Amino acid sequence: MTDAALTNHVFDVDQQTFEAEVLQASLTTPVLVDFWAIWCEPCKTLGPMLEKLAAEYNGAFRLGKVDVDKQQELAGMFGIRSIPTVVLVKDGQVLDGFAGALPEGQLREFLSRHVQPLEAIEQAVEEEAAPETPDQALTRLQQAISAEPDKAELKLELAQALMRAGQTDAAEAALTALPANLAIDARAVRLRSELDLAHALKGAPTRAELLQRLQADTGDWAARDQLGVRLLLEGDAEAGLEQFLLILQKARDWNDGQARKRLLAAFATLDDAELVSRYRRRMASLLF
């Protein structure tokens, strides 16, 4: 094997480099060790195929080449009796191997038992990292419900997915249809609060219009209430909570104590425990 044929994925192995480049390296990347000789005719068929696969797998495994004529002691360590012989070293141990020049299809099958191409690994990582879209969640859950129509838990998940997809009417219908034991589930309670807040914005003015109304009249509690809901649902939770607290402070009985109800609904939907705890204390200080 000439220097020109060497790549990052294919390298020559000798007694001195075996420990570091094969055993130690296999702790992170599998190493396929090819025992060959220049006079071996089957080696001339197998070697190029292994090098091709090493390049194709692009670092998912490395190919170490051992010339048995030059490295007789190393070949003896592995008990090599015929060539070509190939062994797979993974996690510092010989995991598998074969003797003879296998056809490419069998080589691929052998590799598939122990090694994944990096492209497949990267794709799997990307798929795992990529968040599921609302539409994907709906499709997945609808298929799961078709397969298991009596599994009520899936119907609660579907109601949540409908809410995330902005289908509030459908989410409410799915929530209403849940059996009694799931209707009091914490997720169902949270979803009900989210729906209450979303309903408050039906037909509501834009944020700019609400701010304009409040600039003209700071005691426009309806505008302040809708602004609080809009800020909350648009991701500015703290600013939204501030609007409800101001109503609670200045007009606690407005609209049958709606500011308190809004705060409780908001607390049920927020994941930030520190924020919720802080505003619960502030609400309590105004009420008691």
Side-chain angles (χ1 to χ4, degrees):
M1 184 175 175
T2 65
D3 289 341
L6 291 173
T7 69
N8 289 333
H9 312 310
V10 184
F11 61 100
D12 288 321
V13 182
D14 57 31
Q15 188 73 30
Q16 288 70 43
T17 61
F18 177 78
E19 173 73 24
E21 294 200 24
V22 177
L23 291 182
Q24 291 296 323
S26 74
L27 296 175
T28 54
T29 304
V31 179
L32 205 62
V33 183
D34 174 24
F35 292 90
W36 70 289
I38 196 168
W39 45 265
C40 166
E41 289 301 319
C43 297
K44 296 176 183 177
T45 301
L46 181 65
M49 282 195 293
L50 292 175
E51 292 171 21
K52 171 189 169 185
L53 289 169
E56 183 179 312
Y57 273 63
N58 194 30
F61 76 90
R62 298 189 73 214
L63 176 63
K65 308 282 289 183
V66 178
D67 184 334
V68 296
D69 288 337
K70 296 179 180 178
Q71 305 299 327
Q72 295 181 19
E73 187 175 350
L74 195 52
M77 283 173 52
F78 280 85
I80 302 300
R81 297 182 180 178
S82 65
I83 53 173
T85 291
V86 175
V87 298
L88 179 71
V89 183
K90 191 174 182 181
D91 298 324
Q93 298 181 346
V94 175
L95 189 64
D96 204 349
F98 60 87
L102 299 182
E104 185 172 331
Q106 291 184 35
L107 287 177
R108 290 183 180 277
E109 194 276 331
F110 172 84
L111 285 170
S112 71
R113 296 200 297 267
H114 308 292
V115 183
Q116 263 194 310
L118 279 186
E119 288 181 2
I121 295 171
E122 289 166 358
Q123 182 178 355
V125 170
E126 287 174 5
E127 288 174 356
E128 184 178 342
E132 186 178 45
T133 67
D135 287 342
Q136 288 171 336
L138 287 175
T139 300
R140 172 178 60 79
L141 288 165
Q142 286 162 350
Q143 291 172 347
I145 290 170
S146 296
E148 298 180 273
D150 296 328
K151 193 171 181 181
E153 182 82 10
L154 291 172
K155 295 174 183 177
L156 173 54
E157 291 183 38
L158 178 62
Q160 292 176 297
L162 287 165
M163 185 65 188
R164 288 195 294 273
Q167 300 182 35
T168 54
D169 291 340
E172 188 165 22
L175 183 63
T176 304
L178 290 176
N181 65 314
L182 279 179
I184 58 173
D185 184 280
R187 291 166 295 171
V189 172
R190 173 174 178 159
L191 178 56
R192 197 168 289 110
S193 295
E194 290 174 346
L195 282 165
D196 288 344
L197 291 168
H199 286 323
L201 281 189
K202 281 190 174 179
T206 65
R207 184 192 294 200
E209 289 170 330
L210 291 169
L211 288 170
Q212 190 173 21
R213 280 173 55 180
L214 287 171
Q215 189 173 15
D217 179 7
T218 58
D220 185 342
W221 306 125
R224 193 171 297 282
D225 174 65
Q226 289 182 321
L227 178 63
V229 175
R230 188 171 289 286
L231 289 167
L232 187 70
L233 295 182
E234 290 176 357
D236 195 350
E238 189 161 1
L241 294 175
E242 286 291 342
Q243 302 304 316
F244 303 141
L245 274 182
L246 184 59
I247 298 172
L248 191 64
Q249 181 183 14
K250 302 290 186 181
R252 61 184 293 174
D253 295 326
W254 173 77
N255 204 15
D256 197 24
Q258 185 158 294
R260 175 180 170 277
K261 296 173 187 176
R262 290 281 196 246
L263 284 163
L264 293 175
F267 295 156
T269 66
L270 294 172
D271 293 321
D272 188 333
E274 189 278 328
L275 181 69
V276 169
S277 178
R278 179 154 44 92
Y279 275 85
R280 275 192 188 279
R281 291 194 300 271
R282 290 182 62 187
M283 182 183 78
S285 71
L286 293 173
L287 289 174
F288 307 109

